[in-house]
Amino acid sequence: MATKLPKTDVVIVGVGWAGGIIASELTKDGLKVVGLEKGKSRKTEDYFMVHDELRYGVRYDLMQDLSKETVTFRSNEKMRALPMRQYGSFLIGDGLGGAGVHWNGQTYRFLPYDFEIRSKTIERYGKNKIPSDMTIQDWGITYDKLEPYYDKFEKMAGISGDENPLGGKRSSPYPTPPMTKSPAMVKFVNAATKMKLHPYMMPSANLSETYTNPDGISRAGCQYCGYCERFGCEYGAKADPVVTVIPVAKKTGNFEIRTHSQVRRILRSGNKVTGVMYTDVTTGKEYEQPADIVVLTGYVFNNVRLLLMSGIGKPYNPSTGAGVIGKNYAYQVIKGASVGFFENEQFNNFAGAGSLGVNLDDYNGDNFDHSDLKFIHGGSISLSQTGQRPILNNPVPGGTPTWGPDFKKNSLKYANRALSVGGQGSSMSFRHHFLDLDPTYKDAFGDPLMRLTFDFEEQDRELAKFLAGKCGEILKEMGANHVDSLKELGPYDIVTYQSTHNTGGAIMGTSPDISAVNSYSQMWDAENLFVVGASSFPQNAGYNPTGTVGALAYRAAEGILKYRTKGGLVE
Amino acid sequence: MDNNGEHKNPDKGNHDVQEPSRRKFLVNTGFALGGVVVGGALGGLLGRKSKEPAAPAPAPEAGKPAGPANYNRALMFLTPDQFAIVDAATERIFPKDDNGPGAKELGVAFFIDHQLAGDWGFNAREYMSPPYFKGEKVQGYQGHLKRREMYDIALQEMENYSQSQYQKGFVQLTGEQQDEILKAFEDNAVELGTISPSGFFRVLRSNTLEGVYSDPLYGGNANMDGWRMRNYPGNQMSYTSIIDKDFQTIAPSSLQDHMAAH
């Protein structure tokens, strides 16, 4: 029997980027917020020994313990789903700050096209351009409407960058100047400019200089130490929830964080939710936390799994297309890359930062003509210098054996002579890509695991090949003596790391029959329940998702405050 | 001789590693007296040594009389026989050459031994709950064996396969013959009942690179020579002064140096 605790104004489930932003905005406005976080607490000082590729990069020290909870995966409905027993394709964050701790800090805004993809595609190419089983949707919000929230997120995090010449309109410039260009990046910019493309510095949450944000939080500039993705920042230079929004919320005295608290059910009564049930994982005791408003701010899988386990919203049925919870799971097509080998030049590949790089969007969104192409959308192309750590980065020219004397010789020779230009392809949603509860496998509490049904499609194969070709052309222009490009995209596998950009499952839209939440992330089926995060994306763009997650969180916070005063569905 | 003061000298350190002397170790520690044959485990070690001068020494630095010996170089999981196979196999994967030391000198087999003894060897942070079904390739590892069990089985199978092909144990083979065995595992040309030969080979190869390039605190990358060979500076506080500069060679530092810097 769960112990019933005193009621609070708001309970948030998961204290990462979305949870931290919402907590800071609501507590500043005077609401009492309880944050339930299933992992442990964290602070900058914990990263004393963070420059350890084996511990963090290879053995995943900051990630969720899969022995307690994982996902199951199958390529299609005919296959038996089996657990992801070891990490591979994507990494699930854990603890205070969540995935916001181990991200790279690449903070893009999606293109205006992304938010209206269905209408814009039909408008320009006709209905037949969209395959019948492709279930892409407009978001129910435009770029222009979301712009102020992007701006707010960028100012809070101190994003360093310069304007994307092919991006949407900005109400103000980036709060800090771009990062320092490395010689490899200069090469990329020169080559791309010569090719009449539009390179710009990657928008970065690794601060280019000391910065104080509108909440009064000051942070130091990035040291280019080369340990960002999969690592926490020992300098606090990389914006993460623990060094930005969480302290702001705490300072109000209105925010209580309970770590080691795994939320297992959302409780409901009629058309409203009444709170959550959680287990203190250190004692095994169950608690009921009543609240006026419940906000799900966990990673994609946690948000969707909690809705399904709690029976909130209509589960998606892939055979009829009815129902919305679990619908439109999407990912990223990140395999369209090329590697260039330079015989006579060496680069400081060991140095870098998670979002030190240059990018271009000439082949992203609808910035180029798709009439004769067998895919829609596209991807951003970039050269990034994140710090090539030696265990996981051993580029060798094609044909080199994978072990033995020649491997050793070439891997040493090219460690600082190889540059990679990569494409981050968008992932469109399809009728048969979805999330539901696994009928067989359970987590440590006996609750069903999330089941993923996903594979790459013809569209993805065409896109990856196309992007790899463009990346190769840039590398040749950069003077690479030899370029290796992806020739063919294989089936999606859960074994090789690709990208922690899982999206969808509780998507945003204009009406309850096609979406789970409105543009304020408010559930159609329970007005005092908000579901915030990349779970809202109806399909994924050709960018890293965090900037958009941040913008949606700021908008959700505004929606919650509106709901608090007026009630009903926020318009 | 007191080598206290020389311990941090990279070149000297390297030299220490290159001076394995089992005989000296045994003599110094009083185990071998005038060629007396001893039975049991120790006898086995002595016997192999006398027949096979190229056999690896599990404790190359242990013969040093005084000073800060590398106490990390002892076995936590592998048997001496298993250790010898791992030491020989990883050297084929990452061999000594003109660029510098191979897996053996870098201590890769010690690294692997230590990893197998800990969480990673027990798959402690991975989902190991039943039921187990054979999966598709895209679904990843679906076996119920822990890595330490997989190593136990695979090393025995490597030994059996060596015996069946060449009537010799793996460590007694020539380098080319060892390559043949490893290739047979890599290509699944060996039939094993319980584990995937190629799966094991992939793990062994990854572990080799981990042992070559992880921080020396884990027992491999001796003297940071793995990093030094590819101009990787290890653990530096900052690259702000060189990020916009052309290629720089920077002497590596380890987490231990970082500890002192904090």
Side-chain angles (χ1 to χ4, degrees):
Chain A
M1 191 62 195
T3 306
K4 196 165 177 172
L5 301 167
K7 192 171 164 184
T8 181
D9 294 331
V10 180
V11 63
I12 60 176
V13 181
V15 189
W17 265 130
I21 287 169
I22 285 165
S24 75
E25 292 303 289
L26 302 189
T27 53
K28 278 192 277 184
D29 210 71
L31 296 187
K32 296 279 182 197
V33 179
V34 170
L36 298 174
E37 167 55 52
K38 67 182 175 181
K40 62 183 178 183
S41 189
R42 285 214 181 92
K43 56 187 189 305
T44 304
E45 293 81 353
D46 296 343
Y47 309 128
F48 183 53
M49 287 283 146
V50 85
H51 291 194
D52 185 338
E53 185 187 12
L54 186 74
R55 175 176 170 188
Y56 294 98
V58 184
R59 303 277 187 259
Y60 314 113
D61 196 77
L62 292 177
M63 312 309 166
Q64 176 174 293
D65 182 345
L66 295 183
S67 74
K68 298 201 166 84
E69 185 184 336
T70 184
V71 299
T72 68
F73 161 69
R74 57 183 181 172
S75 310
N76 56 62
E77 289 175 75
K78 288 187 201 127
M79 194 187 282
R80 185 204 304 268
L82 293 175
M84 177 176 82
R85 295 187 180 276
Q86 308 174 349
Y87 276 115
S89 175
F90 47 82
L91 303 172
I92 304 170
D94 189 39
L96 197 65
V101 169
H102 68 82
W103 71 316
N104 260 331
Q106 302 178 9
T107 315
Y108 293 97
R109 295 175 171 203
F110 287 1
L111 296 166
Y113 161 83
D114 279 308
F115 298 95
E116 299 168 272
I117 186 168
R118 187 168 195 96
S119 338
K120 298 245 182 215
T121 303
I122 292 171
E123 193 183 296
R124 186 164 172 188
Y125 306 102
K127 263 204 160 121
N128 293 338
K129 189 72 183 172
I130 303 173
S132 60
D133 54 352
M134 187 193 273
T135 50
I136 53 171
Q137 289 182 193
D138 292 358
W139 288 55
I141 189 168
T142 60
Y143 171 84
D144 289 341
K145 269 226 156 128
L146 198 60
E147 201 280 336
Y149 308 98
Y150 271 126
D151 187 62
K152 204 162 180 189
F153 180 75
E154 288 166 0
K155 284 177 176 150
M156 177 276 294
I159 303 306
S160 308
D162 58 10
E163 193 165 338
N164 175 4
L166 301 176
K169 272 200 198 93
R170 303 180 55 90
S171 56
S172 55
Y174 283 103
T176 50
M179 307 277 284
T180 304
K181 265 197 203 79
S182 72
M185 291 159 64
V186 171
K187 243 181 199 319
F188 178 96
V189 170
N190 291 344
T193 309
K194 222 167 138 190
M195 294 165 78
K196 308 224 178 333
L197 301 171
H198 299 82
Y200 62 99
M201 288 294 285
M202 193 176 271
S204 165
N206 325 131
L207 285 177
S208 61
E209 61 183 26
T210 304
Y211 175 69
T212 303
N213 78 7
D215 291 319
I217 297 281
S218 291
R219 290 156 43 222
C222 173
Q223 299 298 305
Y224 301 90
C225 77
Y227 285 79
C228 268
E229 79 265 23
R230 308 188 183 188
F231 307 86
C233 181
E234 63 183 314
Y235 301 99
K238 176 171 75 179
D240 86 32
V242 181
V243 297
T244 55
V245 284
I246 292 172
V248 173
K250 274 185 173 166
K251 210 178 146 197
T252 63
N254 294 329
F255 189 36
E256 188 196 341
I257 300 173
R258 291 184 210 140
T259 52
H260 301 106
S261 300
Q262 172 129 5
V263 175
R264 298 179 49 211
R265 294 292 183 278
I266 307 157
L267 307 169
R268 79 183 295 174
S269 168
N271 288 334
K272 286 196 177 177
V273 295
T274 58
V276 298
M277 186 276 278
Y278 71 93
T279 300
D280 178 333
V281 300
T282 63
T283 62
K285 281 193 184 149
E286 289 183 1
Y287 294 93
E288 180 185 338
Q289 176 60 63
D292 288 338
I293 296 167
V294 175
V295 193
L296 303 191
T297 48
Y299 198 66
V300 171
F301 303 123
N302 298 327
N303 284 358
V304 177
R305 195 165 80 107
L306 260 180
L307 290 171
L308 289 172
M309 288 197 304
S310 310
I312 294 175
K314 195 172 173 205
Y316 174 66
N317 179 339
S319 49
T320 63
V324 290
I325 311 300
K327 181 184 167 181
N328 282 22
Y329 171 73
Y331 190 50
Q332 204 93 66
V333 185
I334 212 152
K335 291 190 164 183
S338 293
V339 183
F341 297 88
F342 296 78
E343 293 298 328
N344 307 315
E345 267 174 289
Q346 291 197 75
F347 306 92
N348 295 318
N349 281 348
F350 47 83
S355 40
L356 178 65
V358 274
N359 198 73
L360 53 87
D361 290 311
D362 298 81
Y363 306 107
N364 201 0
D366 203 19
N367 290 342
F368 58 116
D369 185 12
H370 287 68
S371 303
D372 297 327
L373 297 170
K374 290 184 196 140
F375 59 90
I376 62 161
H377 209 304
S380 51
I381 286 179
S382 61
L383 178 142
S384 55
Q385 189 168 337
T386 58
Q388 297 255 303
R389 293 168 298 274
I391 299 173
L392 297 179
N393 296 289
N394 286 285
V396 286
T400 303
T402 57
W403 56 280
D406 288 341
F407 169 76
K408 181 185 177 188
K409 199 173 77 188
N410 277 352
S411 65
L412 295 179
K413 176 178 173 185
Y414 291 107
N416 293 310
R417 283 187 175 88
L419 297 178
S420 171
V421 172
Q424 174 156 229
S426 61
S427 178
M428 298 297 97
S429 47
F430 284 83
R431 186 172 170 144
H432 46 278
H433 297 171
F434 62 100
L435 302 172
D436 65 355
L437 296 176
D438 191 274
T440 308
Y441 292 97
K442 313 269 187 236
D443 71 7
F445 300 99
D447 289 329
L449 297 180
M450 185 96 278
R451 176 169 68 176
L452 279 69
T453 306
F454 179 81
D455 201 354
F456 289 133
E457 302 290 328
E458 191 51 33
Q459 139 111 12
D460 302 320
R461 283 184 271 281
E462 293 287 333
L463 174 59
K465 232 176 6 192
F466 175 85
L467 289 177
K470 298 293 176 194
C471 294
E473 288 169 19
I474 297 172
L475 278 163
K476 277 183 202 127
E477 186 66 41
M478 285 167 67
N481 302 85
H482 172 77
V483 175
D484 283 339
S485 291
L486 169 114
K487 300 272 186 301
E488 198 182 354
L489 180 70
Y492 171 72
D493 74 78
I494 201 121
V495 185
T496 47
Y497 183 78
Q498 291 158 60
S499 134
T500 302
H501 301 165
N502 317 77
T503 65
I507 65 173
M508 182 171 280
T510 46
S511 84
D513 22 299
I514 56 158
S515 60
V517 297
N518 67 17
S519 74
Y520 286 97
S521 303
Q522 183 180 26
M523 280 286 292
W524 295 112
D525 290 0
E527 62 179 46
N528 63 339
L529 175 62
F530 291 74
V531 186
V532 189
S535 52
S536 298
F537 298 7
Q539 56 275 327
N540 205 0
Y543 292 116
N544 305 62
T546 305
T548 302
V549 169
L552 292 178
Y554 274 109
R555 182 168 167 88
E558 190 186 297
I560 292 165
L561 290 172
K562 278 188 184 168
Y563 171 74
R564 179 79 178 166
T565 47
K566 284 192 188 155
L569 288 166
V570 184
E571 285 178 35
Chain B
M1 188 185 101
D2 179 3
N3 66 356
N4 252 330
E6 293 165 353
H7 190 68
K8 282 190 174 169
N9 179 319
D11 298 323
K12 189 67 186 177
N14 193 17
H15 179 68
D16 285 349
V17 175
Q18 286 176 339
E19 199 180 54
S21 169
R22 168 167 296 276
R23 183 153 295 277
K24 202 166 147 197
F25 161 66
L26 293 168
V27 170
N28 286 350
T29 48
F31 282 130
L33 296 167
V36 175
V37 177
V38 220
L42 188 57
L45 288 173
L46 282 169
R48 191 175 65 224
K49 175 64 189 169
S50 61
K51 269 185 262 168
E52 180 45 73
E61 286 186 322
K64 296 290 166 196
N70 187 350
Y71 294 109
N72 184 283
R73 296 205 154 194
L75 300 183
M76 297 180 192
F77 172 73
L78 296 170
T79 66
D81 287 339
Q82 290 175 323
F83 178 88
I85 297 170
V86 172
D87 204 30
T90 54
E91 178 69 14
R92 297 311 298 172
I93 292 172
F94 197 87
K96 180 184 173 83
D97 66 3
D98 295 346
N99 291 297
K104 204 181 274 264
E105 275 175 48
L106 293 168
V108 167
F110 286 106
F111 166 85
I112 292 175
D113 170 71
H114 297 0
Q115 289 292 305
L116 289 170
D119 275 5
W120 183 81
F122 283 100
N123 301 52
R125 296 181 70 238
E126 288 161 4
Y127 193 80
M128 296 297 280
S129 305
Y132 291 93
F133 295 103
K134 192 173 160 30
E136 301 294 327
K137 211 174 149 196
V138 294
Q139 294 176 301
Y141 180 68
Q142 294 296 333
H144 67 276
L145 290 171
K146 293 167 181 163
R147 291 191 182 88
R148 45 167 45 205
E149 296 169 318
M150 186 176 71
Y151 257 91
D152 271 340
I153 293 166
L155 295 175
Q156 185 58 56
E157 294 287 4
M158 275 174 71
E159 191 64 8
N160 294 346
Y161 191 66
S162 300
Q163 290 290 353
S164 75
Q165 297 297 302
Y166 300 104
Q167 293 76 50
K168 278 183 188 169
F170 184 83
V171 296
Q172 272 81 45
L173 301 180
T174 65
E176 287 70 28
Q177 290 169 331
Q178 289 174 338
D179 289 349
E180 291 298 321
I181 305 280
L182 291 169
K183 195 97 187 59
F185 270 69
E186 185 185 21
D187 298 342
N188 282 322
V190 194
E191 295 249 344
L192 305 182
T194 42
I195 60 163
S196 148
S198 61
F200 171 71
F201 181 82
R202 277 197 304 276
V203 172
L204 184 67
R205 178 194 177 269
S206 303
N207 284 170
T208 304
L209 291 180
E210 289 163 12
V212 168
Y213 292 127
S214 56
D215 193 278
L217 90 87
Y218 293 102
N221 189 11
N223 195 37
M224 302 187 280
D225 283 337
W227 290 343
R228 204 169 270 116
M229 275 186 282
R230 62 182 269 161
N231 285 316
Y232 183 74
N235 183 335
Q236 304 286 330
M237 299 290 286
S238 172
Y239 292 118
T240 44
S241 59
I242 61 123
I243 193 67
D244 58 346
K245 305 277 191 311
D246 287 332
F247 180 71
Q248 310 270 320
T249 304
I250 298 168
S253 73
S254 71
L255 280 167
Q256 193 174 59
D257 302 315
H258 197 66
M259 194 143 179
H262 262 278

